[in-house]
Structures are given as C-alpha cells and as structure tokens.
Amino acid sequence: MRLLKALGAAALVLGVTGAVLWLFRFDLIILFARAKQPKIEAYRPIAWSPGPMAPASGERPPNVVFILADDLGYNDITLNGGGVADGAVPTPAIDSIALQGVTFANGYAGNATCAPSRAAIMTGRYATRFGFEFTPTPVAFSRVVGGHAGDPLHPSRFNAAEVKNVPKDDNTEAVPSTEVTIAEALKTRGYHTVHLGKWHLGGIKGARPEDQGFDESLGFMAGASLFAPVGDPSVEESRQDFDPIDKFLWGALPYAVQYNGGPLFHPNRYMTDYLTDQAVAAIDANRNRPFFLYLAYNAVHTPLQAPKADYDALSGIKDHRLRVYGAMVRNLDRNVGRVLQALKDRGLDDNTLVIFTSDNGGANYIGLPDINRPYRGWKATFFEGGIKVPFLLRWPAQLPAGAVYRSPVAHVDIFATAAGAAGANAPKDRVMDGVDLVPFVKGQASGDPHKAIYWRSGRYKVVMAGGWKLQVAQEPNKVWLFDLANDPTERRDLAKARPDKVRELTAILAQLDNQMVKPAWPSLLSGAIYIDHPGGRPSKASDEYIYWDN
C-alpha cells in the first residue's frame, strides 16, 4: 500500500489527470492481486470417497441435490415466460424441474448480493442475525472502485474511516463456526455431504466447507472464478469496459479449484462443464447411500465467457454480449440436465429432492436490459428484480408434478425443507427464519409460510407482509410502498397515498430489525444502482436509484 501511495503521488506531481491516475492505480491493484495468488498446479483427477458397494436394506431417506446458479435473472429461463433474447435460448432442463415438481411463483433470495444470500441459505437464518451483512471485499479493491469516477450524478464512494474496523485477514469475514449449516444438520442423519463450486462464506479454518459439515469440497472459496483461461480459443468472451468490477475480475481472477483445502489446480474443462463432470462422479460414488450434493455453479456471473460451441449455436442473436450471455445460460441448462440424467440413470431420481434457485437477481453491470423482466431493479437492490428468483423443487416420490405454489417463500426455507425431508432436526437454541415447504405444497400445512420477509443491507431495509412491500433507504432518503398483490412489478409507489400502511409495515420492519446484530465487518463501498436501466447507459437526474452499501 505504501508503494501504491507513492506511485499515486508521483503521478499527480507529473500532472496526470484523475481518470488516468485511477486507471493506473487499478492496474496496479490487479498486479498486486495476481502476485498474491498462490501457485496453481496442473490438473489432477479427483477420487470421490466411495460409498458401499450395494445399498443398505430397508427404507432409505431421500438424497438432496441443491443446485444454485449465480446471478441468474428471473427472465433467463423460458419457464418464466421469456428467456434470453425473447426465447432464443430455451432452458428445457431447468424448466423440467418445475414441470416434474413445484414452481414457487414468489420465491425470494436471502439477499440481493451473493455472499449474504448464501449465508442465509446455508443456515436457514437471516444473515443479519449473525453479522454477515455485507459481501466480503478486499480493502484495496474497495478503495480503487470507490475512487472510480463512474456516474457523474451519483459517484461511488470509499468509506475510508471504516478501514480500521476491517479484519486484517479478509478471510475472517465468514459465517461463524457457531452457526449450523444444512450439511451439519444432514450429517446427523448419516448423509454423505459434498460441496462443488462457489463457497464465498469464508476461507479460514473453521469457516471452509470441510469445516462446516461437508465431507468433501471441490471448488473456490472466493466470490468468483474464471470459466476458462483468458484468451482460450475454445471460448468466446465479452468484456464490459464501463464497469470497474468487470475490469478487475478479468485481470485478477484465477482459473483454479481446490479439493478439501489442498493446493489450487487447473480444471481440465470449461468450469461449468467441469463442475458437472465432478457432480456426476460424486453421484455415482454415493449412489448406495444417502447424500447431500450442494452444486454451486458460478454461472452466469461475470466474467462473461462461454464455450464457442454454445455461442455458435446462437447465431440468431446479433448482439455479441447478449449472445455470450445466452450461450452461458444454454451451457448451464445443459449441465443441469446432465445432473438430472445422472440421477435417473442410477435409479435415484424418484427419491431425490432437487432444489434449484439463483443466489439473487440478474446484475446491472452486464448491461443487458431484459434479464429480470418484467420486474424493476437488479442485483444489489431490493426491488423485485434483485430478489425475486427462480425457485423450483422436484421430489417425485412426495411432491405433485406441475404444481404452482403462490405464497411468498424465501431462501431461508431451503434449510428446513432439506432437513425435513431427511428427518433431521433444526437447531432449537436459536431463531430459525425458514420453514419446511413440503407440508405447505402437499396441503398438510395451512396459511402462508411467512407473516413477513425481511432484508437489510446497511442503510437500506425492506419488509414484505400481507401482500405489501415497504422499502426504506437513507440514500436517497426515500420510502417506497408497493401493493404487490395488484402491482407485482412495483410501478405505482403508494407511500404518500397510504400512510396507514406505511405505519403498519414500518412497525413490522422495526420489530424485525431490532432482532438483528451489528455487521461483523463494515461496508467500505457504496455505489448507486439505477432501478430502471442497466449499467453502461447514460443516466438522468430523474432516474430512480438507491445507494447499495457493501
């Protein structure tokens, strides 16, 4: 950091403009990030721990396969009435989970960004109950992105005063070891537990997957990974030069995985294909015992890299960026299909609970306008586009095919649903925010699963109750009230017209908010997210926005 400051000062003395200086410092940060990466070894095969040669006699509890996509927009699957480029990219495999199971028409993410949402999923609790409020972000990265000139109306900001409160090791920004994960709950019932792909819940001992209930873990601890080496001729790429985060990812991310905390090594295929190869192998190894497979793809998160074969198959899409993105969705869907086929080939699909969702809504920083259609907002907002996600369950032995459940449900319900299927008990010594959804779908439980659903990220808080949704932001200093029953796409703000409803929901919000704890680490970066247009487009003073704290 001393070198960074010295070089920056020298640049100013030489009369370099602020924009050029920013680019210089950003490139320097990328070089530092590369230099800090440990050595990445050559590809190595994984030998998954084998189960018994034959299944045990007697009734077997269901397997649980939880597939989590990354930044998948509500409109990215054709089931939801559109799909990428108005249906040019069918998603038959993902759609089949719903057609053979249950669609939760109002399924909500645990948060509007990756890591807090995953923390809520893994624990069945609002992540703000245990301080996991913000996505872990390196200080140097926050400093440079916060100094980016960005939007002239609402520039990003770096909160330098909070640096002293950041843990010295970024990896300590993690889910506490005192929290109970889905994997730990299922192990009490004899399940073999496997994690594949993205973790993003801490890299220190005690917080890694193999320390949080997973017998085996193969993937990456950080928030993102390359899908293939940069410049790989078998891959098509799209870069968003308007976005500083995209620039950082291209320069700093490795193409690597690790098994149970061992050395990093290169996969031997495009990342989504590789993770699926390993998922199929893990299913095969565990076919004769109950298992929990958490398959956390990094698709379709940036950087946008797609196999050339999938790109070539979408020649009808003329926009290159949209075509690369569509090819990633196509590849993801095909790989979901491979996992489902592996279950069927081994006679496991009837007694396997398959859960599919996305960690949050589609991101504004890829510059594509329709990924969350018809909803407003993006990842890093609590408008519907940021938190309303595909949410599908399939369990042929127990759940009806083609059912649609319309009461609001949330990511926190995944823990209780998986535990309920396995016959595992949820912790009794803490508040659990999720509920088992299976009895509601089967008509064994009446009413709505939740009286209210709550979100918070710094100065921005939201509650949804009784078909109404209240959003409260400090920047801008604004309250939005929406009647979701009659206005599901949040077009008519009724905050001024219905002060009685604002008061009612404000009281519910305050009651929930008072149950939460302070963030375990501070927000260092605040950035403006425009509600009605993606990144890379000019903004106007009249555009609605929120500042997202992270």
Side-chain angles (χ1 to χ4, degrees), residues 402-548:
V404 178
Y405 187 81
R406 300 195 179 279
S407 293
V409 302
H411 275 167
V412 289
D413 298 324
I414 291 171
F415 183 115
T417 302
N425 293 320
K428 305 294 185 184
D429 61 346
R430 65 200 69 192
V431 174
M432 298 297 292
D433 295 299
V435 301
D436 184 354
L437 297 177
V438 170
F440 287 92
V441 173
K442 296 174 72 172
Q444 298 168 345
S446 59
D448 293 332
H450 299 279
K451 292 181 179 180
I453 302 177
Y454 161 90
W455 296 267
R456 184 179 82 189
S457 186
R459 302 168 298 160
Y460 182 26
K461 306 172 185 180
V462 175
V463 70
M464 185 170 61
W468 292 80
K469 181 177 174 186
L470 180 75
Q471 301 196 53
V472 180
Q474 290 186 29
E475 191 174 9
N477 184 11
K478 184 166 182 177
V479 171
W480 292 270
L481 176 70
F482 297 106
D483 175 7
L484 294 182
N486 296 299
D487 179 25
T489 59
E490 298 175 299
R491 304 292 170 180
R492 298 184 297 278
D493 177 13
L494 300 176
K496 292 181 179 179
R498 292 295 306 271
D500 59 322
K501 189 59 69 172
V502 170
R503 287 192 297 270
E504 176 188 335
L505 267 70
T506 298
I508 298 172
L509 178 60
Q511 182 183 26
L512 285 165
D513 200 47
N514 288 337
Q515 299 175 24
M516 308 302 149
V517 302
K518 292 182 179 179
W521 56 88
S523 165
L524 295 182
L525 181 63
S526 295
I529 308 291
Y530 289 95
I531 307 305
D532 294 311
H533 66 76
R537 300 196 177 188
S539 53
K540 306 184 297 295
S542 59
D543 289 340
E544 285 196 280
Y545 68 97
I546 62 98
Y547 261 89
W548 182 261

Side-chain angles (χ1 to χ4, degrees), residues 159-378:
N159 190 358
E162 286 289 350
V163 171
K164 64 181 183 296
N165 297 319
V166 175
K168 291 183 180 180
D169 184 351
D170 294 331
N171 286 324
T172 61
E173 298 176 351
V175 170
S177 59
T178 52
E179 290 298 314
V180 178
T181 68
I182 301 174
E184 289 172 319
L186 296 191
K187 279 182 69 66
T188 67
R189 297 291 295 164
Y191 279 67
H192 188 79
T193 54
V194 176
H195 158 258
L196 280 166
K198 181 173 174 175
W199 180 241
H200 212 187
L201 299 179
I204 59 168
K205 185 169 179 57
R208 296 175 56 85
E210 60 270 21
D211 302 318
Q212 293 275 38
F214 286 96
D215 295 304
E216 299 179 274
S217 171
L218 175 67
F220 31 93
M221 297 303 100
S225 169
L226 290 172
F227 293 87
V230 174
D232 186 327
S234 69
V235 170
E236 289 285 346
E237 301 175 345
S238 173
R239 304 191 182 208
Q240 282 53 258
D241 292 336
F242 60 84
D243 180 54
I245 297 175
D246 194 70
K247 179 178 174 65
F248 181 85
L249 295 180
W250 281 105
L253 285 182
Y255 171 59
V257 294
Q258 61 180 165
Y259 175 75
N260 276 10
L264 291 170
F265 64 91
H266 292 296
N268 64 342
R269 296 186 68 188
Y270 178 77
M271 184 65 79
T272 311
D273 295 328
Y274 171 77
L275 292 175
T276 306
D277 290 347
Q278 300 307 314
V280 171
I283 290 169
D284 190 57
N286 290 283
R287 64 190 182 278
N288 291 323
R289 62 182 172 187
F291 63 86
F292 169 48
L293 174 62
Y294 172 33
L295 177 52
Y297 290 115
N298 55 320
V300 291
H301 196 293
T302 51
L304 298 187
Q305 294 177 290
K308 197 171 189 309
D310 289 298
Y311 181 86
D312 290 345
L314 301 178
S315 58
I317 301 176
K318 301 307 178 185
D319 179 85
H320 174 71
R321 182 192 305 160
L322 181 61
R323 187 172 171 184
V324 173
Y325 184 78
M328 293 178 72
V329 173
R330 185 177 191 268
N331 177 270
L332 172 66
D333 183 76
R334 184 173 65 255
N335 278 293
V336 169
R338 290 176 59 204
V339 173
L340 299 177
Q341 189 64 44
L343 295 170
K344 184 175 182 179
D345 291 345
R346 290 155 183 82
L348 302 173
D349 58 330
D350 190 55
N351 196 34
T352 297
L353 171 62
V354 175
I355 306 168
F356 179 89
T357 188
S358 177
D359 60 348
N360 45 249
N364 74 323
Y365 48 73
I366 58 174
L368 298 175
D370 295 326
I371 54 178
N372 296 320
R373 196 174 64 188
Y375 300 108
R376 302 176 68 198
W378 313 90

